[in-house]
């Protein structure tokens, strides 16, 4: 049981790294055509970016099914992937972007930091020169602001004059 719990927690932690890399190099890379909808004005309840969430759900379900079919401990890895997806939906869609009818406000310092860091990610329009690609860990907002300023100074960023 302890080993299973450890596998679950390790997967959850590792998923933050996987998510960071996928967001930076896939979603802002060749997969931009799907992620782009998330960086534009929100029109409906769903966006093409949700395809990534669907892919994550399929991976989780597949792993859990394989584990239950006898390939222990794949179900615990699947549970870690699923937990990451659920936490991501609550924090990213619920608290940061407030896509829900009930709009929880970030009060805890950790949530506030995630909130501001992700707004920094959306401060840059377009695919390139963005900052803060993580979901559950965010660098201090001060550092992100510094990064944005550096990009603006070097003339590479496309930061709106707001
Ligand atoms: Zn993005
Ligand atoms: Zn976002």
């Amino acid at each position: 049981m302890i080993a299973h719990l450890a596998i679950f927690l390790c997967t959850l932690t590792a998923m933050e790294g996987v998510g960071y890399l996928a967001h930076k190099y896939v979603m802002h890379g060749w997969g931009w055509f799907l992620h782009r909808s998330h960086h534009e004005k929100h029109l409906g309840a769903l966006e093409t970016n949700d395809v990534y969430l669907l892919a994550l759900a399929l991976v989780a379900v597949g792993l859990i099914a394989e584990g239950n079919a006898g390939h222990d401990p794949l179900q615990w890895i699947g549970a870690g992937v699923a937990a990451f997806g659920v936490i991501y939906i609550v924090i990213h869609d619920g608290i940061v972007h407030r896509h829900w009818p009930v709009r929880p406000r970030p009060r805890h310092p950790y949530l506030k930091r995630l909130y501001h860091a992700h707004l920094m990610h959306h401060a840059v329009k377009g695919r390139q020169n963005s900052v803060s690609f993580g979901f559950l860990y965010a660098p201090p907002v001060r550092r992100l602001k510094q990064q944005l300023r550096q990009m603006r100074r070097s003339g590479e960023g496309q930061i709106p004059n707001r």
Side-chain angles (χ1 to χ4, degrees), residues 127-148:
R127 184 164 73 88
Q128 283 174 324
N129 301 313
S130 197
V131 294
S132 183
F133 291 92
F135 292 115
L136 304 182
Y137 167 75
V141 172
R142 202 166 15 92
R143 193 164 359 125
L144 294 173
K145 278 194 176 145
Q146 216 171 1
Q147 278 179 10
L148 277 173

Side-chain angles (χ1 to χ4, degrees), residues 23 28 35 39 121:
H23 188 190
H28 280 250
H35 185 54
H39 282 266
H121 177 68

